[in-house]
């Protein structure tokens, strides 16, 4: 069940973040040690729940962005490791909270923490990780970095509430959906990229370039996730294909297919999304309607657009191995649909 998302012409080398991984390997080793240390607690359940998700195989892309961005501008201190760890803890906390809000059963191919320890434990351990993140931000001693990351935390929470308020609303516009994913996903990418040049005392223009890069990379990343839910594999997603459909999420492929569909098709979408009448046959029909109306292809097209904005944001910066690696990240995020 599904569609093949291959929209490249000709053969190309597969996109990779190997250079980013290599450039940040030493610092990521320190980040990983700090993650394990700061996730510890005398309260037994806290490290159990935290490590269940922390050790489940995420790429840790966001902290690598922080490390590479700091390196790009010659930062030689210790603060980037603490800020990268803070970024990863913020991300982990949002995943714990998201899974409760979305009533998700799978995350990165494993049962979610809420399925094992319950909703209360997931929420409270997420709160613990946020607290630890802010303690590390304070340790770094950069008020500007603290302001950027704390603002991102508030924006992410606003995005969650925006999504909750718009849940199962098929009249959601494309602009409204972009506002949600800009807050929920792109804000942390943006903050992760910006704090690196901030602690390296880079120029305002350089900071703005990394902020724009992160924001548009985050938008592209989420739109590709939206597309993969209807045309990817469980391996690509770290969850079951079609989970967004089963949970009644109104993502961009749904918005486009609903708006472009006939009256009968819109009745199907209302029954599936608003009334939660979903099964494998319904998912297959949903994918068929999305394919007919170009909804998945156009979602990927929007992602490519934001990817190009991210690429252009870095264009004026000096050529460095880190800049090249950050550009590779754009291609890697988009290439997940091939």
């Amino acid at each position: 069940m599904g569609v093949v998302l291959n929209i490249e012409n000709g053969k190309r080398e597969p996109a990779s973040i190997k250079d980013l991984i290599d450039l940040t390997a030493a610092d990521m080793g320190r980040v990983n040690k700090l993650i394990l240390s700061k996730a510890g607690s005398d309260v037994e359940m806290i490290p159990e729940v935290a490590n269940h998700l922390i050790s489940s195989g995420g790429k840790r892309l966001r902290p690598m962005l922080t490390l590479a961005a700091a390196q790009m501008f010659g930062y030689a201190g210790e603060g980037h490791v603490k800020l990268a760890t803070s970024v990863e803890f913020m991300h982990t906390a949002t995943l714990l909270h998201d899974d409760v809000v979305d009533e998700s059963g799978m995350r990165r191919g494993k049962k979610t923490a809420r399925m094992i320890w319950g909703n209360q434990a997931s929420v409270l351990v997420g709160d613990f990780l946020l607290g630890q993140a802010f303690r590390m931000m304070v340790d770094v001693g950069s008020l500007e970095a603290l302001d950027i990351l704390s603002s991102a935390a508030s924006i992410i929470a606003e995005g969650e509430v925006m999504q909750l308020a718009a849940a199962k609303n098929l009249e959601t516009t494309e602009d409204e959906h972009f506002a949600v994913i800009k807050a929920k996903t792109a804000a942390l990418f943006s903050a992760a990229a910006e704090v690196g040049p901030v602690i390296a005392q880079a120029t305002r223009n350089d900071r703005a370039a990394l902020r724009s890069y992160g924001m548009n990379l985050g938008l592209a990343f989420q739109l590709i996730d939206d597309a993969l839910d209807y045309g990817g594999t469980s391996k690509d997603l770290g969850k079951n294909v079609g989970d967004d459909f089963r949970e009644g999420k109104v993502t961009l492929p749904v918005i486009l297919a609903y708006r472009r569909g006939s009256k009968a098709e819109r009745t199907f979408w209302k029954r599936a999304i608003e009334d939660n009448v979903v099964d494998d046959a319904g998912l297959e029909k949903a994918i068929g309607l999305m394919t007919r109306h170009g909804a998945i292809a156009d979602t990927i097209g929007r992602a490519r657009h934001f990817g190009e904005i991210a690429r252009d944001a870095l264009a004026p910066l000096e050529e460095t191995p880190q800049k090249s690696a950050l550009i590779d990240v754009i291609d890697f995020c988009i290439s997940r649909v091939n």
Side-chain angles (χ1 to χ4, degrees):
M1 181 186 299
V3 293
V4 177
L5 298 178
N6 187 351
I7 56 175
E8 293 285 0
N9 294 317
K11 291 185 178 180
R12 296 178 56 182
E13 286 295 313
S16 167
I17 55 170
K18 182 180 183 301
D19 288 349
L20 180 69
I21 292 170
D22 290 346
L23 285 167
T24 60
D27 285 337
M28 275 305 297
R30 295 154 68 198
V31 167
N32 289 331
K33 287 180 181 177
L34 193 55
I35 285 172
L36 293 175
S37 170
K38 296 296 183 181
S41 169
D42 292 336
V43 180
E44 186 176 337
M45 187 182 286
I46 289 175
E48 284 183 2
V49 176
N51 289 327
H52 174 76
L53 186 52
I54 289 168
S55 64
S56 63
K59 294 182 180 65
R60 305 219 164 129
L61 181 57
R62 294 157 188 81
M64 285 195 285
L65 296 182
T66 300
L67 297 173
Q71 290 176 5
M72 186 189 300
F73 298 100
Y75 181 72
E78 299 288 323
H80 65 322
V81 171
K82 290 182 178 178
L83 291 178
T85 307
S86 297
V87 165
E88 183 63 10
F89 271 20
M90 289 173 66
H91 176 54
T92 304
T94 62
L95 296 184
L96 287 167
H97 291 164
D98 276 358
D99 287 342
V100 171
V101 172
D102 297 337
E103 299 181 345
S104 298
M106 294 285 289
R107 168 74 66 180
R108 296 173 181 165
K110 295 167 63 174
K111 281 187 177 180
T112 54
R114 64 173 286 271
M115 295 297 288
I116 301 171
W117 290 278
N119 288 338
Q120 297 94 330
S122 291
V123 170
L124 294 173
V125 172
D127 291 345
F128 170 82
L129 293 177
L130 283 175
Q132 291 292 73
F134 282 104
R135 288 178 66 181
M136 286 184 282
M137 293 175 214
V138 171
D139 285 346
V140 172
S142 167
L143 278 177
E144 192 168 2
L146 176 61
D147 180 52
I148 290 165
L149 287 170
S150 60
S151 295
S154 296
I155 291 167
I156 293 165
E158 288 177 339
E160 286 284 1
V161 176
M162 286 166 61
Q163 186 178 56
L164 192 63
K168 298 183 180 294
N169 179 11
L170 284 163
E171 301 304 325
T172 299
T173 66
E174 191 168 340
D175 284 342
E176 288 168 342
H177 181 62
F178 283 145
V180 170
I181 63 174
K182 187 174 183 180
K184 270 199 64 182
T185 302
L188 187 56
F189 273 91
S190 180
E194 186 181 4
V195 292
V198 163
I199 60 169
Q201 297 184 328
T203 67
R204 289 283 175 187
N205 287 341
D206 290 340
R207 298 176 192 184
L210 268 295
R211 179 171 63 247
S212 175
Y213 162 82
M215 180 63 70
N216 287 285
L217 175 68
L219 287 167
F221 183 92
Q222 185 57 55
L223 288 172
I224 293 299
D225 264 8
D226 287 357
L228 282 172
D229 195 71
Y230 290 96
T233 66
S234 296
K235 182 180 176 183
D236 295 325
L237 286 164
K239 61 179 183 177
N240 295 319
V241 172
D243 272 358
D244 285 354
F245 180 73
R246 295 182 189 95
E247 293 168 9
K249 288 186 178 178
V250 180
T251 58
L252 187 59
V254 174
I255 291 169
L256 296 179
Y258 176 76
R259 288 183 172 272
R260 295 170 181 177
S262 65
K263 183 176 180 181
E265 290 169 0
R266 285 195 289 273
T267 298
F268 160 78
W269 285 112
K270 287 180 179 178
R271 181 171 164 77
I273 300 297
E274 294 179 358
D275 300 335
N276 199 36
V277 180
V278 294
D279 53 23
D280 287 347
L283 175 60
E284 192 164 2
K285 180 173 181 178
I287 293 170
L289 293 175
M290 288 174 178
T291 305
R292 178 188 305 170
H293 295 295
I296 298 174
D298 285 351
T299 297
I300 297 166
R302 308 287 200 276
R304 289 188 177 281
H305 168 72
F306 288 116
E308 290 306 316
I309 297 174
R311 192 186 308 272
D312 289 341
L314 296 182
L317 302 182
E318 182 181 343
E319 297 300 325
T320 65
Q322 289 80 11
K323 174 182 171 179
S324 177
L326 292 178
I327 290 172
D328 286 346
V329 175
I330 303 169
D331 295 328
F332 171 78
C333 287
I334 302 294
S335 74
R336 293 181 299 148
V337 296
N338 294 324

